[in-house]
């Protein structure tokens, strides 16, 4: 059963024993004491406001007003979301959760909502970490529904010759993989939220995947999109490429539910990998590791994995860091056509040119007729990567403030940008009464730039000797978030590389986009959503 307050499913969430173990680890590594586990407020103890609206009889069978359902759809899974939900605070629950089973039903729901001025929040897997699915529409008393697309799911069509597959928007990541596996194919799009995010959500948020170079954003895989808007249906033509004017798909990708509801997408797929090669490389300094990543990104070797962990991140990563005390680079290759041992050897030569050292036993080369299993540093990192959201929830239960944010900047600006972000965050932590760590890892690398990903983990210092409550912790988190957005904007980096904009990144996004583009986007929304029902307040101010 999905958790009503935290990441994933309840059965996989860390229990009190796991939280106590984590508290001991934090005491050993950071000297933090007095961290005690707390339990989330149970569904049975929640009291939500009565629904303000009711769907007509023709749509009522699609709707749920169950307390767990409404609570689960109140938030995404950012720190602010999880902290409030853990404390039993569900400030803006939807009046109903609606699950259409066809595009026609989506259209009927939007028609009704437009007529009665009910806001509609498209909902995929609910894994947003930027406030993108919260039904806080800025107008007290306005009705709101969460439009959950999970019933519109599955592989609809497959063109093996074209290497393209058409999926319904509510298809979760594992179901995408399962549908393609019998055909020897894969989408090769694996965001950290893979298990709990959907095709429609990936497209709506311009999601980035795990792979560090080459095709990684969903942008690279989209061939065509079908969307239902309050003004009517929208479907683009399937093409391998086109120079015919501005792309309709580019307008939909990243629209975050403000223009309409994505119902289907044709996606480019590829053969499943049968060759893998990976290694863990240690560097004495982060700067040396960054230079090695730039060399790899500009070499044309296209590693699938090129994750650089700064010394703090490497320490916290445990076995994935292979015991190194400096920065650690996990580099890996995979493919379906040829052995990769020589490619990995060349990559390690480039790392060696910048002082990189491969630890004994930290290299793995696998090949064969079937899909090879991951092992070594690559698998240790992958396991840590997928468990991280559960770990974050355990930290919330211990009263720790946790924030992650990512950006991207040009190589020529990275050193200054990294220094400015760290300094800004540190200053905000000091002013907000937070003691802790700031760590960074490089997640994606391009020939012209890099995407750094920052983690803040802090313990609030008591206010006047009193325990720090959830409202106080969130206020301190807000200060750190605001400082990160300000530094990113000042350094001319991007508001987000793969987490989307939502409500949390609006301040930086508003200053990143040209003013005329903002006006043009508002005009498009006015045409497609004349009543302003679609996800009010995201990307565009609620009208």
């Amino acid at each position: 059963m999905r958790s009503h307050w935290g990441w994933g499913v309840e059965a996989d969430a860390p229990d009190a024993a796991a939280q106590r173990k984590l508290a001991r680890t934090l005491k050993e590594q950071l000297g933090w004491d007095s961290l005690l586990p707390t339990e989330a407020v149970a569904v049975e103890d929640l009291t939500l406001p009565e629904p303000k609206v009711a769907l007509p009889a023709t749509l009522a069978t699609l709707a749920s007003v169950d307390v767990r359902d409404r609570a689960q759809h109140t938030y995404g899974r950012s720190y602010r979301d999880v902290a409030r939900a853990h404390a039993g605070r569900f400030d803006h629950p939807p009046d109903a959760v609606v699950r259409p089973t066809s595009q026609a039903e989506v259209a009927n729901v939007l028609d009704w909502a437009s007529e009665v001025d009910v806001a509609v929040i498209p909902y995929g897997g609910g894994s947003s970490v930027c406030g993108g699915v919260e039904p806080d529409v800025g107008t007290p008393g306005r009705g709101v529904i969460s439009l959950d697309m999970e019933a519109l799911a599955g592989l609809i069509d497959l063109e093996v010759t074209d290497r393209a597959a058409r999926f319904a928007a509510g298809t979760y990541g594992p179901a995408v993989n399962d549908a393609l596996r019998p055909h020897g194919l894969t989408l090769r799009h694996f965001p950290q939220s893979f298990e709990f995010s959907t095709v429609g959500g990936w497209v709506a948020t311009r999601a980035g995947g795990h792979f560090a170079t080459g095709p990684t954003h969903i942008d690279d895989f989209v061939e065509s999109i079908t969307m239902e808007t309050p003004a009517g249906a929208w479907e683009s033509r399937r093409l391998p490429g086109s120079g015919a004017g501005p792309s309709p798909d580019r307008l939909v990708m990243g629209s975050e539910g403000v223009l309409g509801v994505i119902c289907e997408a044709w996606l480019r797929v590829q053969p499943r990998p049968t060759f893998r090669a990976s290694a863990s490389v240690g560097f004495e300094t982060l700067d040396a590791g960054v230079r090695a990543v730039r060399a790899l990104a500009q070499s044309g070797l296209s590693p699938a994995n090129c994750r650089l962990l700064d010394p703090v991140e490497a320490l916290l990563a445990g076995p994935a860091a292979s015991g190194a005390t400096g920065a650690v680079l996990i580099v890996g290759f995979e493919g379906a056509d040829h052995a990769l041992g020589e490619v990995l050897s060349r990559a390690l030569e480039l790392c060696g040119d910048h002082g990189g050292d491969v630890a004994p036993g930290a290299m793995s080369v696998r090949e064969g007729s079937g899909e090879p299993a991951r092992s070594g540093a690559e698998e240790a990192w992958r396991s840590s990567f997928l468990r991280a959201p559960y770990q974050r929830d355990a930290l919330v239960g211990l009263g720790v403030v946790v924030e992650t944010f990512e950006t991207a900047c040009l190589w020529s600006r990275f050193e200054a940008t990294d220094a400015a972000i760290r300094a800004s965050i540190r200053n905000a932590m000091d002013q907000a009464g937070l003691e802790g760590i700031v760590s960074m890892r490089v997640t994606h690398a391009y020939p012209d730039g890099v995407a750094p990903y920052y983690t803040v983990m802090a313990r609030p210092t008591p206010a006047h000797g009193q325990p720090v409550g959830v409202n106080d912790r969130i206020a301190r988190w807000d200060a750190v978030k605001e400082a990160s957005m300000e530094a990113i904007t000042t350094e001319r980096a991007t508001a987000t590389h793969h987490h989307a904009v939502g409500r949390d990144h609006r301040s930086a996004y508003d200053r990143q986009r040209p003013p005329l583009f903002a006006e043009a986007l508002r005009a498009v929304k006015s045409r497609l959503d004349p009543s302003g029902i679609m996800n009010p307040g995201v990307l565009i101010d609620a009208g």
Side-chain angles (χ1 to χ4, degrees):
M1 181 181 294
R2 288 287 295 273
S3 172
H4 72 282
W5 69 271
W7 186 259
V9 297
E10 289 183 346
D12 291 339
D15 58 14
Q19 289 187 62
R20 286 192 290 270
K21 181 179 179 181
L22 178 59
R24 290 193 296 270
T25 299
L26 292 174
K27 184 175 182 178
E28 293 170 1
Q29 294 184 336
L30 303 176
W32 292 355
D33 53 15
S34 304
L35 295 179
L36 300 175
T38 58
E39 291 187 6
V41 175
V43 169
E44 295 76 14
D45 297 326
L46 296 180
T47 301
L48 302 184
E50 288 297 314
K52 298 181 292 295
V53 298
L55 276 74
T58 53
L59 299 174
T61 56
L62 307 177
S64 166
V65 294
D66 175 74
V67 171
R68 173 180 286 274
D69 234 355
R70 293 176 66 203
Q72 185 180 320
H73 288 74
T74 299
Y75 299 124
R77 292 299 180 262
S78 71
Y79 170 79
R80 181 197 282 123
D81 298 337
V82 171
R84 286 182 292 177
H86 184 273
R89 269 187 52 194
F90 290 87
D91 300 336
H92 307 281
D95 295 295
V97 177
V98 182
R99 292 181 171 88
T101 61
S102 67
Q103 186 172 338
E105 289 180 347
V106 173
N108 291 339
V109 171
L110 297 187
D111 287 345
W112 164 79
S114 296
E115 290 175 4
V116 299
D117 192 33
V118 167
V120 178
I121 314 297
Y123 188 99
S127 59
S128 169
V129 292
C130 58
V133 296
E134 182 176 351
D136 181 6
V137 298
T139 305
R142 187 181 189 186
V144 186
I145 63 169
S146 179
L147 192 69
D148 190 319
M149 297 295 286
E150 68 177 359
L152 224 69
L155 176 65
I156 301 170
D157 201 356
L158 177 66
E159 288 286 356
V160 176
T161 302
D162 301 338
R163 282 194 188 170
R166 180 162 60 118
F167 282 97
T171 314
Y172 280 86
V176 170
N177 234 15
D178 291 345
L180 295 174
R181 184 179 285 108
H183 306 278
L185 298 170
T186 179
L187 178 60
R188 197 184 182 267
H189 182 72
F190 298 103
Q192 189 175 34
S193 61
F194 177 75
E195 187 178 0
F196 303 108
S197 56
T198 64
V199 168
W202 299 341
V203 175
T205 60
R206 294 185 69 189
H210 169 74
F211 294 105
T213 67
T216 184
H217 274 86
I218 196 66
D219 308 37
D220 303 316
F221 305 108
V222 169
E223 192 179 58
S224 171
I225 298 170
T226 299
M227 178 173 71
E228 193 66 42
T229 81
W234 169 303
E235 183 177 358
S236 61
R237 182 179 297 182
R238 283 186 62 212
L239 293 166
S242 174
S247 166
D249 292 334
R250 289 284 174 181
L251 184 60
V252 177
M253 288 186 285
S255 59
E256 300 192 30
V258 306
L259 303 179
V261 182
I262 295 166
C263 296
E264 298 176 2
W266 276 95
L267 303 172
R268 299 178 178 93
V269 297
Q270 56 195 288
R272 301 186 71 83
T274 53
F275 301 90
R276 282 201 174 96
S278 63
S280 176
V281 186
F283 295 87
E284 290 188 3
T285 66
L286 175 64
D287 289 344
V290 169
R291 290 193 295 272
V293 171
R294 179 160 61 89
L296 287 168
Q298 295 176 346
S299 69
L301 293 175
S302 297
N305 197 354
C306 194
R307 301 260 168 161
L308 176 68
L309 317 182
D310 76 1
V312 175
E313 190 98 3
L315 176 66
L316 297 176
S322 302
T325 57
V328 174
L329 173 65
I330 300 166
V331 60
F333 297 85
E334 66 175 47
D337 180 71
H338 53 272
L340 297 166
E342 291 185 7
V343 179
L344 178 61
S345 295
R346 176 57 187 147
L348 297 181
E349 286 179 8
L350 288 174
C351 292
D353 292 342
H354 298 279
D357 181 38
V358 181
M363 185 168 69
S364 174
V365 178
R366 287 143 290 152
E367 55 189 72
S369 57
E371 185 174 355
R374 296 177 177 87
S375 63
E378 181 187 26
E379 177 54 29
W381 166 254
R382 181 174 180 271
S383 177
S384 174
F385 179 71
L386 294 176
R387 287 294 304 172
Y390 290 106
Q391 181 106 326
R392 188 275 313 271
D393 290 358
L395 290 168
V396 171
L398 293 170
V400 177
V401 174
V402 187
E403 165 63 336
T404 61
F405 63 94
E406 33 66 62
T407 186
C409 63
L410 300 171
W411 284 114
S412 58
R413 298 189 60 87
F414 172 72
E415 185 176 353
T417 299
D418 180 54
I421 289 174
R422 289 175 186 265
S424 180
I425 295 302
R426 279 288 178 194
N427 182 59
M429 290 170 64
D430 290 342
Q431 293 186 9
L434 292 169
E435 59 169 333
I437 59 172
V438 181
S439 63
M440 186 275 290
R441 63 180 180 264
V442 168
T443 61
H444 299 76
Y446 304 92
D448 53 347
V450 61
Y453 186 112
Y454 296 86
T455 298
V456 177
M457 187 165 63
R459 180 175 65 170
T461 55
H464 309 295
Q466 299 299 314
V468 180
V470 64
N471 290 345
D472 197 350
R473 295 200 304 272
I474 290 173
R476 299 186 197 203
W477 176 89
D478 282 336
V480 172
K481 171 64 79 172
E482 183 178 349
S484 71
M485 291 295 99
E486 184 61 35
I488 283 170
T489 299
T490 300
E491 294 303 316
R492 298 185 63 79
T494 182
T496 174
H497 176 263
H498 57 265
H499 279 172
V501 176
R503 292 170 175 82
D504 295 346
H505 300 151
R506 265 293 302 275
S507 62
Y509 175 65
D510 284 352
R511 289 181 284 176
Q512 177 176 330
R513 62 186 179 187
L516 276 176
F517 177 80
E519 291 183 25
L521 187 57
R522 281 192 289 270
V524 171
K525 179 173 174 63
S526 178
R527 174 65 184 89
L528 297 180
D529 178 24
S531 298
I533 64 169
M534 301 304 305
N535 213 0
V538 171
L539 297 185
I540 301 167
D541 289 339

